[in-house]
Amino acid sequence: MTGQFEHIHGTVAPGFERVRDEFVRNFAERGELGAACAIYLHGEKVVDLWGGVCDHRSQALWHRDTVVPVFSTTKGLASMAVAHAHSRGLFDYDDSVAHYWPEFAQNGKERITIRQLLSHQAGLCAIDAPLDFAALADPDQMATAIARQKPAWQPGKRHGYHAITLGWYESELIRRVDPQKRTIGRYFHDEIAVPLGIEFYIGLPEDYPRDCVATLKTYKPWQMLFNLNKMPWPFVKAMLNPKSLTARSFNNPPLMGDMARYNDSDMQTIEVPAANGIGQVRGMAKAYGEFATGGSKLGLSTKTLAALTDSAELPSGGAMDQVLRFKTAFSLGYLKPSDDLHFGSSRRAFGTAGAGGSFAFADPDAGIGFAYAPNKLGYYLPFDPRDMALRQALYDCLGLQQI
């Protein structure tokens, strides 16, 4: 490629040229700064694209080995670790959390199941205990704080996005059931990343080369007011009210709500398993591709995969998300396709989206593992036009419909 798009690189297999065209169009028409997109089909890499700049300040170029922070897209990778532990028989999704973690039973949580917790139905989306950075970096302090939390609603009756907390609950569950007592970041590295040969970290190694880490171009919460056509107004209104459940779910401690903070090395090296994953986009796509095609390299059980692909069980109170303020469907740590949120070729698909535009998912019926991540954050929630254009091009190439 030449001209203004000479800094777009990578490969596409024959028949997937339309994905490359939309990737280029993201830069030409949709304000892309730097990004990568990768797709695996039936275990084979068919798209691997990257381009633009990885640092808007220095104008350093995005290169093949660039890793990028992906906010809540991290949840999908973290939940792979949980699924792997389930596949090993370390717990059952319908067991109570307190069965493995007795301290969790405080404040009326003794009957919450692992399935309810992972499906954002436990009412534990906010943390009332004051937290500082030292607490975030200490798994024992975090376990104590989240075990004490009182649910915001009767568990199982409603659901609401556990934006930051889900990963800490998942990590403590892993620590309780894993014979080696690993955190979820370490478990993911050992049991998912290393076997698959992928670069993705929940807690970046302190000696990781900084010139390989993309710098996020972020925005302040008040700037949402100038982009109300891109975000649901009920969500924006709730985010601007510091006492709302929505704001409390994203902003304790306050540094969690400052997206620019995720560029700092100290923030990147601790484990925030719902929000601070960093990795190569092709690695995310490869991992989802493994889950989409049977998980043989990871030894995943058919029981675990069946659970992941089952339709979401909505709470008795309906689909309205008490945090995001629009209808959602979640299951076992993943966003699921629904009447309002479309991705994949069937309801068996599962994935997670991240603030600013990143998205990764598995489509088992089509054998797809897809991932996209930018470093210029968009305002859309949850699906960004840049991501949607790439996904639509993919399914057009395959002659399939997204549901």
Side-chain angles (χ1 to χ4, degrees):
M1 299 179 187
T2 60
Q4 62 180 339
F5 305 118
E6 63 184 357
H7 298 310
I8 295 175
H9 304 282
T11 59
V12 296
F16 292 89
E17 293 84 359
R18 292 181 67 174
V19 179
R20 181 185 60 205
D21 293 343
E22 290 302 327
F23 189 74
V24 171
R25 194 166 286 121
N26 279 349
F27 287 86
E29 301 174 8
R30 303 183 185 108
E32 195 76 276
L33 177 68
C37 177
I39 300 166
Y40 278 72
L41 179 65
H42 302 306
E44 299 295 325
K45 185 172 62 178
V46 295
V47 173
D48 187 8
L49 296 167
W50 64 92
V53 299
C54 74
D55 189 330
H56 60 280
R57 299 165 302 189
S58 68
Q59 294 295 296
L61 297 179
W62 193 300
H63 53 81
R64 187 184 187 280
D65 297 327
T66 294
V67 297
V68 59
V70 294
F71 292 106
S72 285
T73 300
T74 307
K75 290 182 179 68
L77 284 298
S79 295
M80 290 179 187
V82 178
H84 184 277
H86 176 267
S87 192
R88 289 291 179 270
L90 298 181
F91 67 87
D92 189 274
Y93 286 125
D94 293 311
D95 289 339
S96 69
V97 179
H99 176 75
Y100 303 97
W101 178 9
E103 297 87 345
F104 179 86
Q106 299 175 64
N107 283 315
K109 302 196 299 297
E110 62 276 0
R111 298 178 65 181
I112 293 175
T113 66
I114 295 172
R115 185 183 300 276
Q116 287 174 324
L117 177 64
L118 297 179
S119 300
H120 301 259
Q121 296 182 18
L124 301 173
C125 42
I127 303 175
D128 294 328
L131 298 171
D132 56 18
F133 185 81
L136 301 188
D138 184 342
D140 292 331
Q141 287 192 57
M142 290 307 303
T144 297
I146 62 179
R148 292 173 178 166
Q149 183 62 37
K150 183 179 180 179
W153 58 76
Q154 181 180 340
K157 186 174 182 179
R158 301 175 180 174
H159 74 186
Y161 191 45
H162 290 40
I164 307 296
T165 59
L166 182 67
W168 287 317
Y169 283 107
E170 287 182 323
S171 188
E172 188 59 24
L173 175 64
I174 290 292
R175 288 213 301 163
R176 297 289 175 141
V177 303
D178 175 30
Q180 299 181 47
K181 307 303 179 187
R182 289 168 288 184
T183 63
I184 200 167
R186 176 50 54 186
Y187 190 102
F188 177 86
H189 178 268
D190 295 346
E191 306 294 349
I192 306 292
V194 170
L196 295 181
I198 65 173
E199 290 274 336
F200 190 90
Y201 303 92
I202 305 170
L204 195 68
E206 292 185 0
D207 60 352
Y208 201 86
R210 299 304 306 171
D211 60 353
C212 288
V213 183
T215 301
L216 300 172
K217 187 174 183 181
T218 63
Y219 59 84
K220 299 294 185 182
W222 60 264
Q223 291 176 289
M224 291 188 295
L225 288 171
F226 298 96
N227 291 272
L228 293 181
N229 62 323
K230 301 173 184 176
M231 283 189 173
W233 168 241
F235 172 78
V236 175
K237 182 179 178 181
M239 276 295 290
L240 295 175
N241 176 6
K243 294 183 179 180
S244 73
L245 182 61
T246 302
R248 289 169 48 226
S249 297
F250 284 90
N251 294 328
N252 183 27
L255 65 89
M256 301 304 299
D258 180 1
M259 291 188 289
R261 189 71 168 82
Y262 288 80
N263 283 323
D264 296 345
S265 60
D266 62 345
M267 187 66 157
Q268 293 177 347
T269 55
I270 66 171
E271 289 189 27
V272 184
N276 81 332
I278 300 176
Q280 293 176 1
V281 172
R282 76 176 61 83
M284 294 189 289
K286 185 175 183 179
Y288 271 108
E290 172 72 6
F291 273 70
T293 54
S296 60
K297 293 179 181 177
L298 300 177
L300 298 178
S301 70
T302 55
K303 180 180 179 180
T304 298
L305 291 171
L308 294 176
T309 56
D310 277 349
S311 297
E313 297 179 10
L314 292 177
S316 60
M320 178 56 65
D321 192 299
Q322 302 301 303
V323 174
L324 297 178
R325 307 307 307 164
F326 56 83
K327 292 180 179 180
T328 56
F330 296 106
S331 181
L332 304 181
Y334 292 97
L335 181 69
K336 296 286 287 184
S338 66
D339 292 342
D340 298 289
L341 298 173
H342 305 278
F343 68 95
S345 62
S346 77
R347 294 290 174 97
R348 284 163 42 85
F350 56 94
T352 57
S358 62
F359 185 48
F361 70 94
D363 181 344
D365 286 353
I368 289 170
F370 171 94
Y372 160 78
N375 62 355
K376 180 182 177 182
L377 303 188
Y379 293 91
Y380 293 86
L381 190 73
F383 296 146
D384 189 289
R386 296 167 294 179
D387 149 60
M388 293 176 66
L390 295 167
R391 285 191 283 119
Q392 188 59 56
L394 164 63
Y395 282 88
D396 286 346
C397 292
L398 295 173
L400 297 173
Q401 292 279 345
Q402 294 190 83
I403 67 161

Coordinates of all heavy atoms in Angstrom, one line a residue, residues 13 28 40 103 149 169 238 247 326 358:
A13 N -6.1 -13.6 3.7 CA -6.2 -14.7 2.8 C -7.1 -14.4 1.7 O -8.0 -13.5 1.8 CB -6.7 -15.9 3.6
A28 N -9.2 6.2 6.6 CA -9.6 7.2 5.7 C -10.8 8.0 6.1 O -10.9 9.2 5.8 CB -9.7 6.6 4.3
Y40 N -9.3 -15.6 13.0 CA -9.0 -17.0 12.7 C -10.3 -17.7 12.3 O -11.4 -17.4 12.8 CB -8.5 -17.6 14.0 CG -7.0 -17.4 14.2 CD1 -6.5 -16.2 14.7 CD2 -6.1 -18.4 14.0 CE1 -5.2 -15.9 14.9 CE2 -4.7 -18.2 14.3 CZ -4.3 -17.0 14.7 OH -2.9 -16.7 14.9
E103 N -15.5 -16.7 53.2 CA -15.6 -15.3 53.6 C -16.6 -14.5 52.7 O -17.1 -13.5 53.0 CB -14.3 -14.6 53.6 CG -13.3 -15.2 54.6 CD -12.5 -16.4 54.0 OE1 -12.9 -17.0 53.0 OE2 -11.4 -16.7 54.6
Q149 N -18.6 -6.9 50.5 CA -19.5 -6.1 49.8 C -21.0 -6.6 49.9 O -21.2 -7.8 49.7 CB -19.1 -6.0 48.3 CG -20.0 -5.1 47.5 CD -20.0 -3.6 48.0 OE1 -19.0 -3.1 48.4 NE2 -21.2 -3.0 47.9
Y169 N -13.4 -10.8 41.5 CA -14.1 -11.9 42.0 C -13.6 -13.2 41.3 O -13.5 -14.3 41.9 CB -15.6 -11.7 41.8 CG -16.2 -10.8 42.9 CD1 -16.6 -9.5 42.5 CD2 -16.4 -11.2 44.2 CE1 -17.2 -8.7 43.5 CE2 -16.9 -10.4 45.1 CZ -17.4 -9.1 44.8 OH -17.9 -8.3 45.7
A238 N -26.3 8.8 34.1 CA -25.9 8.1 35.3 C -24.4 8.3 35.6 O -24.0 8.4 36.8 CB -26.2 6.6 35.2
A247 N -21.9 5.2 38.1 CA -20.7 5.9 38.4 C -19.9 5.2 39.5 O -18.6 5.0 39.4 CB -20.9 7.3 38.9
F326 N -29.2 0.0 29.5 CA -29.9 -0.5 28.3 C -29.9 -2.0 28.4 O -29.2 -2.6 29.3 CB -29.2 0.0 27.0 CG -27.8 -0.4 26.8 CD1 -27.3 -1.6 26.4 CD2 -26.8 0.6 27.1 CE1 -26.0 -1.9 26.2 CE2 -25.5 0.3 27.0 CZ -25.1 -0.9 26.5
S358 N -12.6 -1.6 21.4 CA -12.1 -2.9 21.2 C -13.2 -4.0 21.3 O -14.2 -3.7 22.1 CB -11.0 -3.2 22.1 OG -11.4 -3.2 23.5

